[in-house]
Structure formats: C-alpha cells, structure tokens
Amino acid sequence: MKELAALAGRIQGCRRCPRLVAWREEAARTKRAAFRDQTYWGRPVAGFGDPEARVVLVGLAPAAHGANRTGRVFTGDRSGDFLFGALHRKGFANQAESRQRGDGLEMRDAFVTAIVRCAPPANKPSAHERTECRPWLEAELDLLPRARVAVALGGEAWRQLLRVLRERGLEVPRPAPRFGHGVEAAFGGWTLLGAYHPSQQNTFTGRLTPAMLDAVLARARELAAGST
C-alpha cells in the first residue's frame, strides 16, 4: 500500500510530455461551465484500487473534465458511471458511483488504471506520449503481486498491455492476439481480456451494453479465482 502511494506521488509530479501538460492545465484553468466553482486536479492521474487485486482494468486516459477534474481514474464522467456501475454489480466495488476522491468508494480484488495519465487533446494521445507513459503502468503492475488478469478497455489499452507484458519477459504470441470485445489471450500466467471502452460513443450507440461489460467482468472474476 505504501509503495503504491509513493508511486502515485511520483506519477502526479510527472511533466514528461509538454503537449499533455499544457492541455491538462489549460482545461483545469478554463473549466467546464458546470464545474466552474470546483478546483480541478489538473495533474497526472495514478491508478486506484485494491493492492491485493487479481484483476487490473486498463483504460486509455483521463477525461479533461472527468479524472482531470476529480483526480481519480474514471471518476466524474459518464464513462466512469458506466464502468463503476458494472464493477459494483459484479462485486468489485462497494458502491456504484465514483464522484470524487473521498466519496467512500473501495475496490475489491480490482485495480483500475490507464495507459496515459494526463488528459490528451481530443482524447487522442500520440504514440510518443503512450510510450513515455508506459513505465508508469509497468511500475504499477510490479506493485500488484497477485494480479494475473488484465481487462483492456479498448484497442489501445490492449496493444499497450501486450507491449508491457512482453517487456516483463512473457512470451506473447506472434502474431499478437487481436483486440475484440470478449476476446481472451492467455500466456505466461496472465490472461488478457478485451472489452469495448465505456465511452459515450460506445454506450450511447449500444455498441457496449451493461450486459456485455458484465459478462467480461464475470469472466475476469472466474479467471482470477482460478489463478490462486
């Protein structure tokens, strides 16, 4: 726990990517009208969850007026509402809402993080920015000794997780497994699960439904139980 907290402090001080630093801080200054009375976090966002987690969920990046405002991954926007609702239904979270730090949310056997820690313009980090941020994900995984199941929320998270696991010495198949919702890839004691990202683009159109995400999380729990 102390090690994860110390790592979070280092992540929060990161200024490696000038474009992302400028964007996240500009969003924190100008704010969205609905949040004009709030103080934005405006810094990189570390992962959040159970230090003994067997399941790690990995998204893309903080939203400019979501996690960049609240300081907690997938918190304060509709993507987070959708995700944490599912995590609560499947027993990974003690409550269905994630509104702000200190709201009482606790994770159970799950840790939620992202491949990029700063809000990117148009929600599209560059390849260079994804590479610069990769060591933070690697460091978090190093401090989650029981983790053996990774849920990639979207194709970018899937590809980055494959790179991270390969760099950790795992024999990732070649050609690499392709992303898809519900796809599984098992190697080196890990299982990688694919799930569409809970963005409004996916949830409002029905590309991702609550039942679809619930099914992936149920499978993650089943796999985690078998890893002990």
Side-chain angles (χ1 to χ4, degrees):
M1 187 69 173
K2 291 181 179 178
E3 291 83 359
L4 278 170
L7 175 60
R10 295 196 297 275
I11 291 172
Q12 291 160 14
C14 183
R15 300 184 67 85
R16 291 178 184 172
C17 303
R19 187 181 79 116
L20 297 187
V21 170
W23 178 258
R24 80 189 189 212
E25 293 180 354
E26 177 65 16
R29 280 193 300 270
T30 57
K31 305 181 181 181
R32 178 171 285 172
F35 308 124
R36 61 181 177 275
D37 296 329
Q38 297 185 21
T39 299
Y40 274 53
W41 175 256
R43 287 177 277 166
V45 179
F48 168 76
D50 184 354
E52 297 298 318
R54 292 175 295 178
V55 177
V56 181
L57 297 99
V58 184
L60 177 60
H65 304 285
N68 188 55
R69 172 174 59 88
T70 64
R72 190 168 68 197
V73 63
F74 276 106
T75 296
D77 60 27
R78 291 188 176 181
S79 294
D81 293 343
F82 195 96
L83 177 62
F84 282 104
L87 289 168
H88 177 63
R89 289 192 297 274
K90 292 303 169 185
F92 287 110
N94 69 327
Q95 61 191 44
E97 293 185 342
S98 180
R99 297 299 183 190
Q100 59 188 13
R101 301 187 316 282
D103 61 5
L105 177 65
E106 295 179 2
M107 302 300 295
R108 300 165 176 166
D109 206 17
F111 189 89
V112 185
T113 189
I115 64 172
V116 172
R117 306 315 173 98
C118 298
N123 205 33
K124 292 182 179 179
S126 70
H128 174 74
E129 290 159 352
R130 293 194 298 270
T131 298
E132 286 293 295
C133 233
R134 191 183 305 155
W136 295 130
L137 179 58
E138 294 170 347
E140 285 177 339
L141 292 180
D142 287 340
L143 295 177
L144 297 171
R146 299 187 69 207
R148 288 297 178 270
V149 179
V151 179
L153 299 171
E156 290 292 348
W158 176 273
R159 288 182 283 274
Q160 192 75 305
L161 276 165
L162 287 173
R163 294 185 187 100
V164 168
L165 294 175
R166 184 180 290 119
E167 289 174 3
R168 289 166 63 86
L170 276 67
E171 293 187 7
V172 177
R174 293 184 182 276
R178 300 187 67 176
F179 172 76
H181 186 86
V183 169
E184 294 185 26
F187 45 85
W190 277 81
T191 300
L192 183 57
L193 293 176
Y196 292 140
H197 191 282
S199 65
Q200 292 184 57
Q201 181 180 357
N202 287 333
T203 60
F204 280 15
T205 61
R207 186 173 190 240
L208 177 65
T209 66
M212 290 170 65
L213 186 52
D214 286 356
V216 170
L217 295 180
R219 179 57 176 157
R221 181 170 289 286
E222 180 182 357
L223 290 166
S227 70
T228 54

PDB file of all heavy atoms in Angstrom, residues 27 34 40 47 66 93 101 110 112 119 121 140 180 191 203 208 212-213:
ATOM      1  N   ALA A  27      -7.214  22.978 -19.384  1.00  0.00           N
ATOM      2  CA  ALA A  27      -8.561  22.517 -19.031  1.00  0.00           C
ATOM      3  C   ALA A  27      -8.878  22.814 -17.572  1.00  0.00           C
ATOM      4  O   ALA A  27     -10.010  23.170 -17.229  1.00  0.00           O
ATOM      5  CB  ALA A  27      -8.683  21.021 -19.305  1.00  0.00           C
ATOM      6  N   ALA A  34     -20.299  23.834 -16.040  1.00  0.00           N
ATOM      7  CA  ALA A  34     -20.986  23.105 -14.971  1.00  0.00           C
ATOM      8  C   ALA A  34     -20.118  22.920 -13.741  1.00  0.00           C
ATOM      9  O   ALA A  34     -20.632  22.676 -12.639  1.00  0.00           O
ATOM     10  CB  ALA A  34     -21.449  21.742 -15.489  1.00  0.00           C
ATOM     11  N   TYR A  40     -10.041  22.079 -10.055  1.00  0.00           N
ATOM     12  CA  TYR A  40      -9.628  20.916 -10.843  1.00  0.00           C
ATOM     13  C   TYR A  40      -8.316  20.340 -10.310  1.00  0.00           C
ATOM     14  O   TYR A  40      -7.450  21.068  -9.824  1.00  0.00           O
ATOM     15  CB  TYR A  40      -9.436  21.311 -12.304  1.00  0.00           C
ATOM     16  CG  TYR A  40     -10.676  21.277 -13.163  1.00  0.00           C
ATOM     17  CD1 TYR A  40     -11.837  21.961 -12.792  1.00  0.00           C
ATOM     18  CD2 TYR A  40     -10.685  20.582 -14.363  1.00  0.00           C
ATOM     19  CE1 TYR A  40     -12.962  21.944 -13.593  1.00  0.00           C
ATOM     20  CE2 TYR A  40     -11.805  20.561 -15.188  1.00  0.00           C
ATOM     21  CZ  TYR A  40     -12.940  21.240 -14.797  1.00  0.00           C
ATOM     22  OH  TYR A  40     -14.057  21.227 -15.597  1.00  0.00           O
ATOM     23  N   GLY A  47      -3.279   5.115 -10.849  1.00  0.00           N
ATOM     24  CA  GLY A  47      -4.279   4.072 -10.732  1.00  0.00           C
ATOM     25  C   GLY A  47      -4.893   4.062  -9.340  1.00  0.00           C
ATOM     26  O   GLY A  47      -4.397   4.698  -8.405  1.00  0.00           O
ATOM     27  N   GLY A  66     -13.302  14.981 -16.391  1.00  0.00           N
ATOM     28  CA  GLY A  66     -13.611  13.848 -15.527  1.00  0.00           C
ATOM     29  C   GLY A  66     -12.469  13.664 -14.543  1.00  0.00           C
ATOM     30  O   GLY A  66     -12.371  14.367 -13.543  1.00  0.00           O
ATOM     31  N   ALA A  93     -16.588  -3.484  -6.553  1.00  0.00           N
ATOM     32  CA  ALA A  93     -16.635  -2.161  -5.928  1.00  0.00           C
ATOM     33  C   ALA A  93     -17.747  -2.143  -4.896  1.00  0.00           C
ATOM     34  O   ALA A  93     -18.788  -2.780  -5.083  1.00  0.00           O
ATOM     35  CB  ALA A  93     -16.856  -1.063  -6.968  1.00  0.00           C
ATOM     36  N   ARG A 101     -12.702  11.973  -5.143  1.00  0.00           N
ATOM     37  CA  ARG A 101     -11.863  11.372  -4.120  1.00  0.00           C
ATOM     38  C   ARG A 101     -12.517  11.564  -2.748  1.00  0.00           C
ATOM     39  O   ARG A 101     -13.088  12.603  -2.473  1.00  0.00           O
ATOM     40  CB  ARG A 101     -10.466  11.994  -4.112  1.00  0.00           C
ATOM     41  CG  ARG A 101      -9.736  11.861  -5.432  1.00  0.00           C
ATOM     42  CD  ARG A 101      -8.291  12.332  -5.375  1.00  0.00           C
ATOM     43  NE  ARG A 101      -8.083  13.576  -4.662  1.00  0.00           N
ATOM     44  CZ  ARG A 101      -8.343  14.782  -5.147  1.00  0.00           C
ATOM     45  NH1 ARG A 101      -8.849  14.910  -6.368  1.00  0.00           N
ATOM     46  NH2 ARG A 101      -8.088  15.862  -4.434  1.00  0.00           N
ATOM     47  N   ALA A 110      -9.774  -5.618  -7.402  1.00  0.00           N
ATOM     48  CA  ALA A 110      -9.610  -4.966  -8.705  1.00  0.00           C
ATOM     49  C   ALA A 110      -8.837  -3.662  -8.546  1.00  0.00           C
ATOM     50  O   ALA A 110      -8.938  -2.984  -7.512  1.00  0.00           O
ATOM     51  CB  ALA A 110     -10.960  -4.695  -9.358  1.00  0.00           C
ATOM     52  N   VAL A 112      -7.905  -0.186 -11.033  1.00  0.00           N
ATOM     53  CA  VAL A 112      -8.264   0.496 -12.278  1.00  0.00           C
ATOM     54  C   VAL A 112      -7.197   1.522 -12.618  1.00  0.00           C
ATOM     55  O   VAL A 112      -6.805   2.329 -11.753  1.00  0.00           O
ATOM     56  CB  VAL A 112      -9.632   1.192 -12.154  1.00  0.00           C
ATOM     57  CG1 VAL A 112     -10.055   1.788 -13.495  1.00  0.00           C
ATOM     58  CG2 VAL A 112     -10.691   0.217 -11.653  1.00  0.00           C
ATOM     59  N   ALA A 119      -4.852  14.066 -19.352  1.00  0.00           N
ATOM     60  CA  ALA A 119      -5.913  14.257 -20.352  1.00  0.00           C
ATOM     61  C   ALA A 119      -5.297  14.749 -21.661  1.00  0.00           C
ATOM     62  O   ALA A 119      -4.613  15.772 -21.674  1.00  0.00           O
ATOM     63  CB  ALA A 119      -6.927  15.265 -19.834  1.00  0.00           C
ATOM     64  N   PRO A 121      -5.516  16.160 -25.749  1.00  0.00           N
ATOM     65  CA  PRO A 121      -6.429  16.854 -26.659  1.00  0.00           C
ATOM     66  C   PRO A 121      -7.217  15.870 -27.512  1.00  0.00           C
ATOM     67  O   PRO A 121      -6.659  14.892 -28.024  1.00  0.00           O
ATOM     68  CB  PRO A 121      -5.479  17.694 -27.528  1.00  0.00           C
ATOM     69  CG  PRO A 121      -4.248  17.870 -26.695  1.00  0.00           C
ATOM     70  CD  PRO A 121      -4.122  16.594 -25.911  1.00  0.00           C
ATOM     71  N   GLU A 140       3.194   0.113 -11.803  1.00  0.00           N
ATOM     72  CA  GLU A 140       2.011  -0.302 -11.045  1.00  0.00           C
ATOM     73  C   GLU A 140       1.859  -1.811 -11.045  1.00  0.00           C
ATOM     74  O   GLU A 140       1.574  -2.426 -10.002  1.00  0.00           O
ATOM     75  CB  GLU A 140       0.760   0.370 -11.616  1.00  0.00           C
ATOM     76  CG  GLU A 140       0.653   1.842 -11.240  1.00  0.00           C
ATOM     77  CD  GLU A 140      -0.541   2.542 -11.846  1.00  0.00           C
ATOM     78  OE1 GLU A 140      -1.088   2.052 -12.862  1.00  0.00           O
ATOM     79  OE2 GLU A 140      -0.927   3.590 -11.306  1.00  0.00           O
ATOM     80  N   GLY A 180     -10.681  -7.509 -29.441  1.00  0.00           N
ATOM     81  CA  GLY A 180     -12.101  -7.630 -29.718  1.00  0.00           C
ATOM     82  C   GLY A 180     -12.830  -7.746 -28.395  1.00  0.00           C
ATOM     83  O   GLY A 180     -12.247  -8.176 -27.389  1.00  0.00           O
ATOM     84  N   THR A 191      -3.891 -13.683 -18.154  1.00  0.00           N
ATOM     85  CA  THR A 191      -4.950 -13.713 -19.164  1.00  0.00           C
ATOM     86  C   THR A 191      -5.355 -12.284 -19.462  1.00  0.00           C
ATOM     87  O   THR A 191      -5.647 -11.505 -18.547  1.00  0.00           O
ATOM     88  CB  THR A 191      -6.181 -14.501 -18.698  1.00  0.00           C
ATOM     89  OG1 THR A 191      -5.797 -15.849 -18.404  1.00  0.00           O
ATOM     90  CG2 THR A 191      -7.240 -14.519 -19.792  1.00  0.00           C
ATOM     91  N   THR A 203     -21.386   3.465 -25.473  1.00  0.00           N
ATOM     92  CA  THR A 203     -22.543   3.115 -24.638  1.00  0.00           C
ATOM     93  C   THR A 203     -23.835   3.738 -25.156  1.00  0.00           C
ATOM     94  O   THR A 203     -24.897   3.128 -25.057  1.00  0.00           O
ATOM     95  CB  THR A 203     -22.302   3.529 -23.183  1.00  0.00           C
ATOM     96  OG1 THR A 203     -22.088   4.950 -23.103  1.00  0.00           O
ATOM     97  CG2 THR A 203     -21.089   2.810 -22.615  1.00  0.00           C
ATOM     98  N   LEU A 208     -21.666  -1.039 -26.754  1.00  0.00           N
ATOM     99  CA  LEU A 208     -21.363  -1.671 -25.471  1.00  0.00           C
ATOM    100  C   LEU A 208     -22.575  -1.519 -24.566  1.00  0.00           C
ATOM    101  O   LEU A 208     -23.002  -0.401 -24.273  1.00  0.00           O
ATOM    102  CB  LEU A 208     -20.137  -1.021 -24.822  1.00  0.00           C
ATOM    103  CG  LEU A 208     -19.769  -1.556 -23.433  1.00  0.00           C
ATOM    104  CD1 LEU A 208     -19.352  -3.032 -23.524  1.00  0.00           C
ATOM    105  CD2 LEU A 208     -18.662  -0.729 -22.802  1.00  0.00           C
ATOM    106  N   MET A 212     -23.028  -6.690 -21.741  1.00  0.00           N
ATOM    107  CA  MET A 212     -21.762  -7.058 -22.379  1.00  0.00           C
ATOM    108  C   MET A 212     -20.580  -6.846 -21.438  1.00  0.00           C
ATOM    109  O   MET A 212     -19.679  -7.686 -21.346  1.00  0.00           O
ATOM    110  CB  MET A 212     -21.570  -6.254 -23.661  1.00  0.00           C
ATOM    111  CG  MET A 212     -22.509  -6.630 -24.791  1.00  0.00           C
ATOM    112  SD  MET A 212     -22.431  -5.438 -26.166  1.00  0.00           S
ATOM    113  CE  MET A 212     -20.735  -5.668 -26.742  1.00  0.00           C
ATOM    114  N   LEU A 213     -20.568  -5.708 -20.741  1.00  0.00           N
ATOM    115  CA  LEU A 213     -19.470  -5.449 -19.813  1.00  0.00           C
ATOM    116  C   LEU A 213     -19.559  -6.380 -18.608  1.00  0.00           C
ATOM    117  O   LEU A 213     -18.536  -6.873 -18.115  1.00  0.00           O
ATOM    118  CB  LEU A 213     -19.481  -3.986 -19.374  1.00  0.00           C
ATOM    119  CG  LEU A 213     -18.299  -3.528 -18.512  1.00  0.00           C
ATOM    120  CD1 LEU A 213     -16.963  -3.872 -19.149  1.00  0.00           C
ATOM    121  CD2 LEU A 213     -18.382  -2.032 -18.231  1.00  0.00           C
TER     122      LEU A 213
END
